[in-house]
Amino acid sequence: MKAIECLKYGDVENLVLSNVKKPSAKDNEVLIKIRATSVTTSDVLIRRLNEPLIPRFILQLIFGFGRPRNPVLGMVTAGIVERKGKDVTLFETGDEVFAYGSISPTKRRFGSYAEYICLPEDWNLALKPVNLSFEEAAAIPYGGLLASHLLKKTSINKGDKVLIYGASGSIGTMAIQLAKHRGAHVTSVCSGRNFELVTSLGSVKVIDYTIENAEAQLETYKYVIDAVGNSKSSTLKEKSKKALTSNGKYISIDHGTPLTPKEAFFNLKRLAEQEKITPVIDSIYPLEKIAEAHKYVEMGHKRGNVVITI
């Protein structure tokens, strides 16, 4: 089968289109013919691996030294069940599904930068919402699960003011919608070109982090949610960390290891089916142009998700 292999850590030139062995489903697994995946910020971090010495060493302990242990990256899948193992009861051949290849910090599987992948039936794998295309379904798991992780650290009541920093990315666009669903009064921080997008998702106020003295627009918030972490900073961001009510809380995507439990995944499926959340797609590339997609994501200005069709 065709797959994109990461031959070693570093530049996008290390992502190479290859022919690799097609996987075979174990007794508890399904073989999925992939129709769409996505290039996430985490994919870029793993491929590039230019972190400081100690974090880089830890990441290589997890993913492999010199090159990824599994050279086929990607954890987001949307596709069709082509074959199932003999013990599989939840899915049938021909089912349209979507998935995320991580169910816990110790149970993860890469491999969606390819034509096929095998996944256990009891992981973050579900029938694709019928109201979504494969491309739209591939735009849900990564941002949706990380946003769910952030929102799980809150106890939002109706009318609570919530500030989301980095609101136009894959995590931020989902965080807006999940917070709004809980009744929050959402203020989004992003560049001015994304105001229309974040407003359409449920933001009632927007702040352009690129303008001078943007921090003057801050109010006080029950929760300040940082959807970009240490990768981006500004005077506005530093001020926002303290723009809290007396019982307010600052929550960053860099705080702790994000969890991706099944209940969160299936909640995203339910909300998508009810049209309570809308996946946001910035651009779509074919598998053969995945290096270009990585370059674009690496620039740090994408809106929502970058999707790959296969």
Side-chain angles (χ1 to χ4, degrees):
M1 68 172 183
K2 291 181 181 178
I4 300 292
E5 293 188 291
C6 182
L7 301 182
K8 62 180 181 179
Y9 300 119
D11 295 334
V12 296
E13 287 74 17
N14 295 322
L15 296 172
V16 176
L17 182 64
S18 305
N19 284 308
V20 303
K21 185 178 178 181
K22 181 179 175 180
S24 299
K26 296 178 181 178
D27 292 347
N28 68 328
E29 294 180 344
V30 293
L31 173 68
I32 302 167
K33 181 175 177 57
I34 302 174
R35 295 284 299 276
T37 183
S38 69
V39 173
T40 70
T41 303
S42 295
D43 292 345
V44 170
L45 182 150
I46 294 168
R47 184 265 302 162
R48 193 172 53 185
L49 207 72
N50 63 348
E51 303 298 302
L53 181 61
I54 294 177
R56 185 167 72 246
F57 178 77
I58 294 171
L59 286 170
Q60 290 192 89
L61 279 175
I62 298 170
F63 299 115
F65 285 89
R67 58 176 280 177
R69 198 171 290 112
N70 178 357
V72 182
L73 301 179
M75 298 184 75
V76 174
T77 295
I80 302 169
V81 174
E82 184 170 287
R83 192 169 297 132
K84 66 174 192 172
K86 69 180 183 65
D87 295 335
V88 172
T89 60
L90 299 177
F91 301 97
E92 299 295 335
T93 301
D95 282 347
E96 296 184 349
V97 296
F98 77 125
Y100 190 65
S102 172
I103 197 167
S104 75
T106 58
K107 289 184 178 181
R108 64 168 68 91
R109 185 174 300 182
F110 294 94
S112 65
Y113 286 7
E115 292 183 301
Y116 292 91
I117 193 171
C118 290
L119 291 172
E121 68 166 340
D122 60 348
W123 278 29
N124 282 331
L125 173 65
L127 294 175
K128 177 180 69 65
V130 295
N131 55 324
L132 299 184
S133 66
F134 288 109
E135 292 80 8
E136 289 169 329
I140 288 179
Y142 178 77
L145 284 169
L146 294 185
S148 298
H149 170 75
L150 291 170
L151 270 291
K152 192 170 184 179
K153 298 181 179 183
T154 70
S155 299
I156 294 173
N157 295 312
K158 187 174 182 179
D160 282 346
K161 289 185 177 180
V162 175
L163 179 79
I164 298 175
Y165 191 96
S168 59
S170 55
I171 303 172
T173 52
M174 280 293 177
I176 293 169
Q177 297 176 81
L178 293 173
K180 178 195 173 187
H181 179 64
R182 295 193 190 182
H185 182 283
V186 178
T187 296
S188 288
V189 175
C190 58
S191 65
R193 76 184 185 99
N194 294 319
F195 279 5
E196 184 177 348
L197 168 64
V198 298
T199 300
S200 72
L201 297 175
S203 299
V204 296
K205 185 177 177 181
V206 288
I207 300 176
D208 186 346
Y209 73 92
T210 68
I211 67 172
E212 188 176 353
N213 203 31
E215 58 270 19
Q217 298 181 50
L218 290 171
E219 301 174 6
T220 54
Y221 308 93
K222 179 72 175 292
Y223 298 103
V224 171
I225 295 176
D226 177 4
V228 294
N230 296 330
S231 63
K232 292 183 180 180
S233 191
S234 66
T235 301
L236 173 62
K237 183 173 176 179
E238 295 307 310
K239 295 285 187 181
S240 70
K241 293 178 181 180
K242 300 177 182 178
L244 299 168
T245 60
S246 58
N247 60 343
K249 185 178 182 182
Y250 169 73
I251 302 165
S252 171
I253 192 64
D254 282 344
H255 292 168
T257 302
L259 301 179
T260 54
K262 286 178 66 174
E263 56 266 28
F265 181 78
F266 281 90
N267 182 54
L268 292 169
K269 168 183 161 67
R270 178 178 59 82
L271 292 174
E273 290 171 335
Q274 296 173 353
E275 299 184 348
K276 299 289 180 61
I277 58 172
T278 300
V280 176
I281 297 175
D282 178 301
S283 50
I284 300 175
Y285 295 79
L287 182 66
E288 293 77 10
K289 298 289 182 93
I290 206 165
E292 290 183 23
H294 265 249
K295 281 183 180 179
Y296 181 59
V297 172
E298 196 166 0
M299 291 170 62
H301 300 299
K302 68 179 177 65
R303 296 192 286 182
N305 301 267
V306 170
V307 171
I308 304 297
T309 55
I310 302 171

